[in-house]
Amino acid sequence: GGFEAHSRLMRDMHANEVNAYRWVVPTLDVNTVDCFYSGLDENGDGLVILEDLTLRNVRFLRLMEPIGFQLARDFLTEIARIHARWWNRPELDSDPQFAWLQDASEHGGGIWQYFAILHDPDQYSWFRNAPRAAAMPTELLDPPRIHAAHGAMIAAHADEPATINHGDTH
């Protein structure tokens, strides 16, 4: 659920997550968390209730911690399986249960809400000063450059086959 101070900006992202756990994840043959509930309220606010992964002795990774070759390979293999499952599938355009994906793609792949942060000096300052930003190349911390790159990415992929990809692979 969106309980953080920036949640209003992330409402669409939360809705995407609800829909992904409802419609996409159950179709995948990948190692994933069990979802007990995913839903949207009348205001469009999303809530997802997932299993407690500590009960599986899962090792939680840290952003600044290297993961090694084997784990990186396994991670990329799982992500590729997600992309392959939905690569150029006609139901992405025709099945009503996937209409939410069309809404997301109109905004540049469903990540457009992140770019609103770049226009708000207080939010951008908070992000820029966060510890995770310290490891980012300065080119990735330049708002005009990020906007230009995002626009170029959307244009470059406009005529490519559609697929569903995991949008939070950091």
Side-chain angles (χ1 to χ4, degrees), residues 4-74:
E4 301 88 2
H6 65 279
S7 291
R8 287 290 139 226
L9 278 175
M10 301 299 172
R11 178 181 276 170
D12 291 344
M13 181 196 70
H14 294 149
N16 286 344
E17 191 142 329
V18 164
N19 286 315
Y21 277 106
R22 184 179 293 163
W23 304 112
V24 176
V25 173
T27 72
L28 301 173
D29 181 25
V30 296
N31 182 14
T32 189
V33 62
D34 288 333
C35 179
F36 300 121
Y37 174 80
S38 63
L40 299 170
D41 70 9
E42 63 278 353
N43 298 317
D45 292 317
L47 178 67
V48 177
I49 300 175
L50 304 174
E51 75 173 296
D52 180 353
L53 290 173
T54 62
L55 300 177
R56 275 206 238 166
N57 293 321
V58 170
R59 182 178 135 229
F60 292 92
L61 303 174
R62 305 259 186 262
L63 182 64
M64 303 300 288
E65 177 184 319
I67 61 173
F69 175 80
Q70 183 65 42
L71 185 55
R73 187 188 78 172
D74 293 347

Side-chain angles (χ1 to χ4, degrees), residues 85-132:
R85 162 68 177 93
W86 292 103
W87 188 262
N88 212 20
R89 296 296 296 260
E91 58 265 41
L92 294 180
D93 291 325
S94 61
D95 193 323
Q97 78 182 26
F98 295 113
W100 59 277
L101 289 168
Q102 297 308 317
D103 293 340
S105 68
E106 290 174 12
H107 296 292
I111 60 171
W112 65 271
Q113 62 270 19
Y114 285 105
F115 295 97
I117 292 170
L118 300 174
H119 295 298
D120 182 319
D122 291 334
Q123 286 190 352
Y124 182 72
S125 177
W126 174 86
F127 170 78
R128 179 66 176 92
N129 294 318
R132 64 179 165 181

Side-chain angles (χ1 to χ4, degrees), residues 24 28 30 77-87 163-166:
V24 176
L28 301 173
V30 296
T77 298
E78 292 294 286
I79 292 294
R81 291 175 69 200
I82 294 170
H83 297 177
R85 162 68 177 93
W86 292 103
W87 188 262
T163 191
I164 296 174
N165 72 307
H166 191 293

